Amino acid sequence: MNERILIFDTTLRDGEQAPGFSMNVAEKLRVARQLERLRVDIIEAGFPIASEGDFNAVKRIAQELKTVTIAALARANETDIRCAAKALEKARFPRLHIFIATSDIHLEKKLKMSRRQVIDTVGKTIEFARKYIDDIEFSAEDATRSEWEFLKEVYSVAIKSGASTINIPDTVGYAVPEEFARLISYLKSNVENIENVVISVHCHNDLGMAVANSLAAIKSGARQVECTINGIGERAGNASLEEVAMNIKTRKDFYRIQCNVETKFLYPTSRLIRHITGIPVQPNKAIVGDNAFAHEAGIHQDGVLKDRRTYEIMTPKKVGFPTSIFVLGKHSGRHALKERLKVLGYELPTEEFEKTFVAFKNLADKKKIVYDEDLEAIVLDEVFNIPRKYRLHSVNISCGTNVVPTATVEMKIDNKLIKKSCSGNGPVDAVYRTIASITKIKTNLIKFSVQSLTPETDAMGEVTVYLKAHGMTVTGRGAHTDIVVASAKAYVDALNKIAFKKENKWRDDGHDHHRKDNCRT
């Protein structure tokens, strides 16, 4: 297993060409540094002739990165080559990547050139490029729709003229793995002096075959794979770097080859691309999707809890993913719920656990995902039946244009009715200031969210608040057609939990049999 695959990352060139994925120079440099940390072998930094921004990005990356080969793309003409070479002047390890189309449809409709003209152009431009840079990669665009005999001639001339890497692109994602593997084998057996150069592949995902075609090519002798983070790129994208790398790492018994990628940086690099472009990755995306290490089915959760290898062929840590995720929902079973409650600090007797499980299932039928805060509310409300120290009696608001928002709140505290008014920056702030004044509990509002329970204009709104007080964090919920009233109910709900925890189950007096001493607060 001494042979190695070179990982050629084209996120900053082919990936950035996709609609919505463009980056400025600073963003490209940030990505390039992360790719260097990921230990890719070659970074294709851009297409310098395309724009001043692309030229400057390639130039800046070439100046600053010193441990990785920096490639720049150029069409097979002297103007492009000069421009790319100039952008790469300061690179420690520069590479010129020259391409020209070879399929009949491209020759006839786009280039208006004959096959003979293409062959002559390939030879002349590669010889010209060698005056500037020794490391030349040549690509026959749309190779998989080109006539094989013609490809053989083109690649033979490219090697004879000085190319050190020949790239076989499936430019429009037309190939299937068996066919693509045969093409690689054919070229490997028939192109003159091909044993002296690196065979590369560049696959697109129009039929969802980019990664499969790249891996099939590896089995047939390719030793460089061109790919992008998150599989971004023209149309349906390119071969996904993280999928290629983890196939090689996870199935080394099959591919019997290695790559230098530092896989623990795969997920962080994916997140960086998401952050810079603002384009999310689908949850079920292999390796880096949010659901890649998530389990909801009870059978799966039970298996992973007993031995993660039952349902995980790689560890989250290996790709830099924070941890396996147990999504608690209607498919989850007792084992997963019990383990999650333990993490939250609750070890319930059998009878109370069964009561909690029934309440959990009922809630799971109503909403897709049950969160930790939901579980805590179930335990406190359904199992412990917390008393309501504070009860909201009425809420009245005065607010509008040119009016200081003022709230008048009536509350019962241990059945004693108290009424106060306070102003605030808005109606909700005024209500919360008034409630705080009545209860005399100093809290920090950690999070406030509002969700419509139905789509109509008269919808019931649900407010969720996260409060911190006395070293404890609690969740409160309230629902009402008036969002301000819902906000008040949520705040009071949270205060009741704080009072309950403080006065009863959270005392360190040795009498708390439900909550562990090292509880999360």
Side-chain angles (χ1 to χ4, degrees):
M1 249 176 59
N2 293 325
E3 281 198 271
R4 182 165 68 91
I5 287 290
L6 299 174
I7 298 297
F8 178 112
D9 183 275
T10 185
T11 301
L12 298 177
R13 200 277 300 170
D14 201 332
E16 198 238 2
Q17 288 177 193
F21 286 91
S22 61
M23 307 175 214
N24 59 38
V25 175
E27 290 168 337
K28 280 193 165 189
L29 183 60
R30 186 178 173 192
V31 172
R33 288 173 177 149
Q34 181 65 19
L35 292 172
E36 185 176 42
R37 189 174 295 116
L38 187 61
R39 292 185 64 194
V40 302
D41 299 284
I42 304 101
I43 295 174
E44 189 167 44
F47 191 2
I49 199 70
S51 71
E52 184 178 355
D54 246 30
F55 178 89
N56 289 333
V58 174
K59 182 178 180 180
R60 184 83 181 275
I61 292 167
Q63 286 175 334
E64 297 206 18
L65 272 62
K66 299 302 180 184
T67 65
V68 61
T69 296
I70 306 300
L73 188 68
R75 289 168 297 188
N77 66 62
E78 293 185 2
T79 302
D80 276 29
I81 291 168
R82 284 196 194 95
C83 182
K86 186 171 181 61
L88 291 170
E89 275 180 343
K90 302 295 184 181
R92 185 176 180 185
F93 304 110
R95 174 181 291 190
L96 269 173
H97 183 191
I98 300 169
F99 74 97
I100 192 170
T102 52
S103 66
D104 288 339
I105 190 169
H106 277 250
L107 265 60
E108 179 185 348
K109 302 296 183 181
K110 185 179 77 172
L111 297 179
K112 312 293 185 185
M113 293 173 69
S114 67
R115 290 184 176 182
R116 186 69 258 166
Q117 287 175 310
V118 168
I119 290 174
D120 290 344
T121 300
V122 169
K124 289 176 183 177
T125 52
I126 291 177
E127 287 175 1
F128 178 77
R130 284 292 302 275
K131 296 177 182 178
Y132 296 94
I133 292 172
D134 289 332
D135 187 355
I136 306 295
E137 175 174 337
F138 170 74
S139 289
E141 185 185 9
D142 205 19
T144 53
R145 293 195 297 171
S146 300
E147 197 268 326
W148 288 16
E149 185 69 22
F150 177 49
L151 275 181
K152 180 190 77 171
E153 290 185 59
V154 170
Y155 284 125
S156 294
V157 169
I159 294 170
K160 184 178 180 180
S161 302
S164 50
T165 300
I166 61 161
N167 183 45
I168 298 95
D170 183 25
T171 305
V172 292
Y174 183 72
V176 294
E178 295 84 357
E179 177 187 49
F180 196 50
R182 287 199 303 272
L183 173 58
I184 304 303
S185 296
Y186 169 81
L187 295 173
K188 189 176 179 183
S189 300
N190 290 280
V191 172
E192 294 178 22
N193 298 313
I194 197 170
E195 67 277 4
N196 299 323
V197 302
V198 174
I199 300 173
S200 174
V201 291
H202 177 114
C203 299
H204 278 262
N205 208 38
D206 298 71
L207 291 175
M209 295 283 198
V211 171
N213 282 329
S214 299
L215 295 171
I218 289 174
K219 291 294 286 183
S220 290
R223 290 298 175 262
Q224 176 177 290
V225 174
E226 306 193 359
C227 40
T228 61
I229 299 297
N230 295 340
I232 66 173
E234 290 276 11
R235 304 179 312 280
N238 291 56
S240 163
L241 185 152
E242 57 274 6
E243 293 177 29
V244 171
M246 289 312 295
N247 266 277
I248 293 170
K249 299 274 188 178
T250 306
R251 292 305 313 274
K252 55 190 175 186
D253 60 313
F254 180 77
Y255 293 105
R256 304 191 66 78
I257 203 162
Q258 58 187 344
C259 69
N260 279 345
V261 170
E262 191 67 69
T263 60
K264 68 181 180 182
F265 293 122
L266 287 173
Y267 183 71
T269 308
S270 169
R271 296 287 296 181
L272 176 62
I273 296 297
R274 297 186 221 186
H275 172 74
I276 287 177
T277 64
I279 307 295
V281 168
Q282 71 268 29
N284 62 323
K285 168 77 169 66
I287 316 301
V288 294
D290 289 341
N291 289 351
F293 297 94
H295 309 273
E296 183 180 344
I299 293 172
H300 288 219
Q301 292 175 341
D302 181 64
V304 172
L305 286 167
K306 290 172 178 173
D307 189 326
R308 70 168 58 253
R309 292 173 299 175
T310 54
Y311 289 102
E312 288 184 354
I313 61 172
M314 66 194 94
T315 64
K317 184 179 180 181
K318 186 167 284 188
V319 301
F321 203 93
T323 185
S324 298
I325 300 169
F326 280 8
V327 178
L328 294 180
K330 66 180 182 179
H331 301 109
S332 300
R334 286 175 171 78
H335 193 174
L337 178 61
K338 186 170 289 186
E339 289 300 317
R340 192 63 206 160
L341 288 172
K342 282 183 181 178
V343 171
L344 295 175
Y346 297 101
E347 295 191 68
L348 304 176
T350 302
E351 183 178 345
E352 292 182 347
F353 173 77
E354 287 301 320
K355 190 176 181 180
T356 302
F357 184 71
V358 170
F360 158 72
K361 281 290 190 178
N362 289 336
L363 181 60
D365 279 334
K366 296 174 185 176
K367 56 186 298 189
K368 292 181 179 179
I369 298 175
V370 178
Y371 296 100
D372 289 351
E373 294 78 18
D374 297 309
L375 293 179
E376 190 137 40
I378 288 172
V379 173
L380 293 175
D381 293 341
E382 300 294 333
V383 176
F384 294 146
N385 294 315
I386 66 172
R388 299 292 171 178
K389 179 179 179 69
Y390 307 107
R391 293 184 182 274
L392 189 66
H393 192 264
S394 68
V395 177
N396 290 286
I397 294 293
S398 173
C399 64
T401 306
N402 300 322
V403 175
V404 176
T406 303
T408 300
V409 177
E410 280 187 301
M411 287 181 64
K412 282 186 176 181
I413 302 180
D414 295 328
N415 292 320
K416 180 182 178 182
L417 189 64
I418 301 175
K419 181 178 180 179
K420 280 195 176 185
S421 298
C422 289
S423 59
N425 295 325
V428 174
D429 183 54
V431 168
Y432 282 12
R433 286 174 184 264
T434 307
I435 293 174
S437 177
I438 292 173
T439 61
K440 295 181 172 55
I441 297 179
K442 185 178 180 180
T443 64
N444 290 324
L445 181 62
I446 306 300
K447 184 178 178 182
F448 177 95
S449 67
V450 181
Q451 181 177 351
S452 175
L453 298 181
T454 55
E456 294 80 14
T457 55
D458 61 347
M460 180 81 75
E462 183 184 59
V463 172
T464 304
V465 296
Y466 297 76
L467 293 184
K468 188 170 185 179
H470 304 298
M472 297 173 286
T473 301
V474 298
T475 304
R477 283 187 174 82
H480 198 274
T481 52
D482 187 320
I483 290 301
V484 177
V485 176
S487 301
K489 292 174 72 174
Y491 194 82
V492 171
D493 181 50
L495 291 178
N496 277 312
K497 291 174 182 176
I498 288 172
F500 172 76
K501 289 183 174 184
K502 184 172 182 290
E503 296 173 9
N504 295 281
K505 300 301 177 181
W506 263 251
R507 290 182 305 185
D508 188 17
D509 57 5
H511 297 298
D512 180 3
H513 302 294
H514 301 287
R515 183 83 172 178
K516 296 193 296 184
D517 291 337
N518 61 344
C519 63
R520 190 185 72 170
T521 58

